[in-house]
Amino acid sequence: MDVMDFFRMSAGQWNSQRTTHHLPFRRAELGGSTIAVEALDAAHPSVVEICNLHEVDPALAVGGALVTWQGAMAWDKEDENHEGSTVFALVPDAADPSRGQLLRERGYAEIVPVIGRYEIDGDEGLLLITEYETMSSVERFWFANPNLRLRTSVVKRFGGFSTASFCAESRLAAPAAEAEGKSEPALAPVSAFGW
């Protein structure tokens, strides 16, 4: 599996249930979100634009993705907003295409343009590693089956605060192109935890 295979498998709409552990406080917080993923080919204008933003030759990119989300966490204040979108481009290392740069116009833990690293591991999981000015994040995604994607993340703040999250993401809908031309995969059952 290469990195674009992973994003093509991720394309579609997902319902995500998240448990976030706030490690310094020894407390867990539940939340949920709806996520949409669209795989983008290497020539897509958004991929080219992100490469140009980071001064990377767009010809080196193998593609990318557009990810949008809308969600809520249990401890949200009235004005808190967990929705947004990000576009990123994938630029594999010349020596090992299972690893490379992840160019983002918006980071996961800080809302700034950032260059992270990706790696497809030996178990066909996708590992994303991003270093920011004030924190770092490590995320791992993998498929339990085509309609159930799992994700872990650890965010470490340089002041010592850390969070660890686990997400179970059930496919709600296949990408439009797949739904129009091919049989749509069966939907995963609703989680016992409720969405």
Side-chain angles (χ1 to χ4, degrees), residues 145-159:
N145 65 52
N147 295 314
L148 179 60
R149 191 174 77 166
L150 304 173
R151 173 166 44 123
T152 59
S153 65
V154 175
V155 176
K156 295 180 182 176
R157 300 187 191 285
F158 297 141

Side-chain angles (χ1 to χ4, degrees), residues 81-97:
N81 181 354
H82 295 284
E83 63 182 60
S85 67
T86 188
V87 175
F88 50 85
L90 300 155
V91 179
D93 292 346
D96 183 358

Side-chain angles (χ1 to χ4, degrees), residues 33 44 54 92 99 123 130 146 149 160 165 190-192:
S33 60
H44 192 281
H54 289 285
R99 301 169 184 248
D123 295 320
T130 310
R149 191 174 77 166
S165 298
V190 173
S191 165

Side-chain angles (χ1 to χ4, degrees), residues 18-162:
R18 171 189 296 258
T19 302
T20 298
H21 299 275
H22 300 275
L23 302 178
F25 307 111
R26 294 190 235 176
R27 298 215 171 190
E29 178 183 21
L30 300 178
S33 60
T34 302
I35 301 167
V37 180
E38 179 185 350
L40 306 175
D41 64 33
H44 192 281
S46 294
V47 172
V48 173
E49 183 179 345
I50 295 301
C51 289
N52 290 334
L53 173 70
H54 289 285
E55 299 179 351
V56 172
D57 182 357
L60 299 175
V62 294
L66 166 64
V67 180
T68 58
W69 62 91
Q70 183 174 20
M73 295 296 290
W75 298 348
D76 283 353
K77 296 177 182 151
E78 193 171 309
D79 60 346
E80 272 190 276
N81 181 354
H82 295 284
E83 63 182 60
S85 67
T86 188
V87 175
F88 50 85
L90 300 155
V91 179
D93 292 346
D96 183 358
S98 70
R99 301 169 184 248
Q101 292 182 312
L102 179 75
L103 313 179
R104 300 190 206 197
E105 45 78 52
R106 172 190 171 135
Y108 167 74
E110 290 183 7
I111 303 173
V112 294
V114 67
I115 298 177
R117 298 283 303 163
Y118 76 81
E119 176 183 337
I120 299 292
D121 66 23
D123 295 320
E124 296 190 339
L126 174 66
L127 190 64
L128 304 180
I129 303 162
T130 310
E131 299 286 339
Y132 302 92
E133 282 190 32
T134 62
M135 65 187 74
S136 65
S137 71
V138 177
E139 298 174 90
R140 185 175 187 274
F141 299 77
W142 71 100
F143 286 92
N145 65 52
N147 295 314
L148 179 60
R149 191 174 77 166
L150 304 173
R151 173 166 44 123
T152 59
S153 65
V154 175
V155 176
K156 295 180 182 176
R157 300 187 191 285
F158 297 141
F161 293 103
S162 296

